[in-house]
Amino acid sequence: MIKIAPSLLSSDFANLSLDVRQMDELGADYLHIDVMDGHFVPNITIGPLVVKAIRPYSKLPFDVHLMIEQPERYVEDFVQAGANLVTVHVEASPHLQRTLGMIRSLGARASVALNPHTPISMIEHVLDQLDMILIMTVNPGFGGQSFIHSMVQKIADTRNMLAARGFGEIDIEVDGGINRETAEQVRKAGATVLVAGNAIFTADDRKEEISLLRGN
Ligand code: DX5
Ligand code: ZN
């Protein structure tokens, strides 16, 4: 029921293929790939060429989190590189409805991310175009930040909104500061997909960590 999406941001970039392959072997559900452009967020990470290069090393669905301005310009490149699920930020997408439609028309699943301060009302009229909602539980840009506790209520509010509108099947993903304690809180609030970077990649036993985050 609960899916775990290890964030490659915390992996060893000099040996990316090893970590990518290991996440398959350890039973992760998705591979979360953080794309940053130095404009929407302060950091710069990876582009479609790297996604394409690591694609042969994993059978997991690639969950590509675009923290970039004008994401519609790059959606097709990322899908062609191997993205199965594409998340765009509502704050970066003035024509969100069109962009989500584009993602699905390319054959990928569509998702939208909300920064911590962004109200969930921003997405209430595009629910029919969503496969997943990503609630940021840190301000995006870096791994290893502390979980923002007021986001637990936001996750619960999102779950209630989805139930009230008949969209209970939409996944709620959470990203940022997820560890064993915060994982339990967000699972109880209604999250179904948990991103974890530091918690998994710094664990002594990564397989055990994935299982504990899942709640097993
Ligand atoms: C932050 C990224 C996250 C990040 C999470 O902007 O979107 O995916 O890698 O890292 P942790 O789990 O270490 O907070
Ligand atoms: Zn992310």
Side-chain angles (χ1 to χ4, degrees), residues 7 32-34 36 65 67 134 136 175 195:
S7 167
H32 185 83
I33 301 174
D34 289 301
M36 306 187 189
H65 179 191
M67 286 162 275
L134 170 49
M136 290 305 303
D175 187 5
V195 176

mmCIF file of all heavy atoms in Angstrom, residues 7 32-34 36 65 67 134 136 175 195, ligand 2:
data_model
loop_
_atom_site.group_PDB
_atom_site.id
_atom_site.type_symbol
_atom_site.label_atom_id
_atom_site.label_comp_id
_atom_site.label_asym_id
_atom_site.label_seq_id
_atom_site.Cartn_x
_atom_site.Cartn_y
_atom_site.Cartn_z
ATOM 1 N N SER A 7 15.361 8.972 -3.001
ATOM 2 C CA SER A 7 15.776 10.139 -3.779
ATOM 3 C C SER A 7 17.253 10.026 -4.134
ATOM 4 O O SER A 7 18.110 10.025 -3.256
ATOM 5 C CB SER A 7 15.550 11.420 -2.976
ATOM 6 O OG SER A 7 16.229 12.483 -3.613
ATOM 7 N N HIS A 32 13.142 8.187 -7.238
ATOM 8 C CA HIS A 32 12.808 9.615 -7.266
ATOM 9 C C HIS A 32 14.030 10.396 -7.764
ATOM 10 O O HIS A 32 15.118 10.304 -7.187
ATOM 11 C CB HIS A 32 12.419 10.064 -5.857
ATOM 12 C CG HIS A 32 11.943 11.475 -5.769
ATOM 13 N ND1 HIS A 32 10.650 11.853 -6.038
ATOM 14 C CD2 HIS A 32 12.593 12.618 -5.430
ATOM 15 C CE1 HIS A 32 10.507 13.150 -5.860
ATOM 16 N NE2 HIS A 32 11.692 13.650 -5.498
ATOM 17 N N ILE A 33 13.828 11.157 -8.824
ATOM 18 C CA ILE A 33 14.937 11.857 -9.473
ATOM 19 C C ILE A 33 14.650 13.357 -9.426
ATOM 20 O O ILE A 33 13.659 13.835 -9.988
ATOM 21 C CB ILE A 33 15.094 11.364 -10.925
ATOM 22 C CG1 ILE A 33 15.348 9.847 -10.933
ATOM 23 C CG2 ILE A 33 16.212 12.127 -11.634
ATOM 24 C CD1 ILE A 33 15.388 9.213 -12.315
ATOM 25 N N ASP A 34 15.529 14.100 -8.736
ATOM 26 C CA ASP A 34 15.332 15.526 -8.502
ATOM 27 C C ASP A 34 16.063 16.352 -9.551
ATOM 28 O O ASP A 34 17.288 16.343 -9.616
ATOM 29 C CB ASP A 34 15.844 15.893 -7.106
ATOM 30 C CG ASP A 34 14.946 15.339 -6.015
ATOM 31 O OD1 ASP A 34 13.749 15.688 -6.023
ATOM 32 O OD2 ASP A 34 15.423 14.543 -5.187
ATOM 33 N N MET A 36 16.858 20.067 -10.890
ATOM 34 C CA MET A 36 16.888 21.459 -10.412
ATOM 35 C C MET A 36 17.655 22.328 -11.414
ATOM 36 O O MET A 36 18.673 21.893 -11.962
ATOM 37 C CB MET A 36 17.579 21.531 -9.054
ATOM 38 C CG MET A 36 16.983 20.590 -8.013
ATOM 39 S SD MET A 36 17.716 20.869 -6.398
ATOM 40 C CE MET A 36 17.035 19.476 -5.485
ATOM 41 N N HIS A 65 10.984 14.562 -10.520
ATOM 42 C CA HIS A 65 10.495 15.762 -9.827
ATOM 43 C C HIS A 65 11.169 16.983 -10.437
ATOM 44 O O HIS A 65 12.346 17.236 -10.180
ATOM 45 C CB HIS A 65 10.832 15.596 -8.326
ATOM 46 C CG HIS A 65 10.433 16.746 -7.468
ATOM 47 N ND1 HIS A 65 10.845 16.862 -6.153
ATOM 48 C CD2 HIS A 65 9.640 17.835 -7.699
ATOM 49 C CE1 HIS A 65 10.335 17.967 -5.630
ATOM 50 N NE2 HIS A 65 9.611 18.577 -6.550
ATOM 51 N N MET A 67 12.005 20.562 -10.560
ATOM 52 C CA MET A 67 12.055 21.830 -9.822
ATOM 53 C C MET A 67 12.696 22.854 -10.740
ATOM 54 O O MET A 67 13.807 23.339 -10.509
ATOM 55 C CB MET A 67 12.857 21.636 -8.525
ATOM 56 C CG MET A 67 12.079 20.861 -7.476
ATOM 57 S SD MET A 67 13.130 20.184 -6.182
ATOM 58 C CE MET A 67 13.625 18.660 -6.980
ATOM 59 N N LEU A 134 2.211 15.944 -4.954
ATOM 60 C CA LEU A 134 3.428 15.939 -4.128
ATOM 61 C C LEU A 134 3.378 17.105 -3.155
ATOM 62 O O LEU A 134 3.404 18.270 -3.559
ATOM 63 C CB LEU A 134 4.669 16.029 -5.027
ATOM 64 C CG LEU A 134 6.028 16.275 -4.370
ATOM 65 C CD1 LEU A 134 6.271 15.346 -3.197
ATOM 66 C CD2 LEU A 134 7.140 16.113 -5.388
ATOM 67 N N MET A 136 5.340 19.098 -0.621
ATOM 68 C CA MET A 136 6.713 19.321 -0.145
ATOM 69 C C MET A 136 6.697 19.532 1.361
ATOM 70 O O MET A 136 5.948 20.375 1.868
ATOM 71 C CB MET A 136 7.333 20.557 -0.822
ATOM 72 C CG MET A 136 7.655 20.428 -2.300
ATOM 73 S SD MET A 136 8.715 19.033 -2.750
ATOM 74 C CE MET A 136 10.191 19.329 -1.746
ATOM 75 N N ASP A 175 7.766 14.719 0.365
ATOM 76 C CA ASP A 175 9.177 14.838 -0.016
ATOM 77 C C ASP A 175 9.870 15.850 0.878
ATOM 78 O O ASP A 175 9.538 17.038 0.863
ATOM 79 C CB ASP A 175 9.232 15.289 -1.491
ATOM 80 C CG ASP A 175 10.633 15.292 -2.057
ATOM 81 O OD1 ASP A 175 11.574 14.863 -1.365
ATOM 82 O OD2 ASP A 175 10.778 15.738 -3.217
ATOM 83 N N VAL A 195 9.037 9.856 -0.275
ATOM 84 C CA VAL A 195 10.382 10.069 -0.810
ATOM 85 C C VAL A 195 11.344 10.106 0.374
ATOM 86 O O VAL A 195 11.032 10.687 1.405
ATOM 87 C CB VAL A 195 10.469 11.414 -1.573
ATOM 88 C CG1 VAL A 195 11.904 11.685 -2.049
ATOM 89 C CG2 VAL A 195 9.493 11.436 -2.741
HETATM 90 ZN ZN ZN B 2 12.164 15.582 -4.759
#
